[in-house]
Amino acid sequence: MNIDNHSVAGPGQTSQWGAETTVPLDQRMGLQGAGSTTSPDPEFAQFYDALMKWVAEFVTLPPGSIQQYLKQYANPGGEQPYGTTQKQMDALTQVMVRMKEQGLEGGAAYKEIKIALVSVSSVNMFIKEFMLDVFKPSEDEDDRENISW
C-alpha cells in the first residue's frame, strides 16, 4: 500500500504545520471591503445615500430604528426591497462594507448598524431553525408516537 502526502497546494507540495493564514472575521463575514465594489449597484447606492441622510438626522439612533427603516424603505418604484430578514442582512452587510471603505467604522452610526446586523441575523437564524423544525420533524419513533395531530 502506497500513501502519498498531498496538500491543498498540490501533490508533492506539503504545507508547514501552523503556516496556514488566519482569515479575519470581517473577511469571513463578507465585510472585507477590498474589491467588494467592483460592480456598483445603482439601487443600493441610492439606498445607501438615503440611509446615511436619515442617520445624519439623529444625534443618537433609537433602538430598533434601523430595522424599522429597512422594513419601511421604498425604492423609487414604490417597492420595499428589504422586507425579509435575509435581504436586510445583505443590505446591512453592504452598508458596513461601504462605511468601512469610507473610513466611517469608528462612528456611532457604524456601531448601531453593526448592532442592527447582529439583531437581524439572530432573527433570521431563529426563523430558519423554526422552519426546519416545522417542516422536518424528528425521525425518532418515540417522539412521533407522542405527537397528537
Side-chain angles (χ1 to χ4, degrees), residues 2 9 12 38 42 45 65 68 77 88 100 104-105 126 128 143 145:
N2 186 11
T38 54
S65 62
Q68 191 63 32
Q88 291 172 13
K100 191 170 185 178
L104 302 173
E105 64 185 312
F126 175 77
K128 285 183 178 181
D143 287 343
E145 289 178 10

Side-chain angles (χ1 to χ4, degrees), residues 42-62:
E43 187 173 329
F44 174 75
Q46 191 172 24
F47 163 72
Y48 179 78
D49 292 340
L51 177 68
M52 290 296 109
K53 196 177 296 182
W54 177 78
V55 166
E57 294 174 1
F58 293 93
V59 175
T60 58
L61 288 167

Side-chain angles (χ1 to χ4, degrees), residues 123-140:
V123 170
N124 189 45
M125 185 175 61
F126 175 77
I127 290 171
K128 285 183 178 181
E129 184 69 27
F130 176 77
M131 297 302 279
L132 184 66
D133 288 345
V134 168
F135 291 109
K136 189 175 184 222
S138 174
E139 296 181 11
D140 185 16

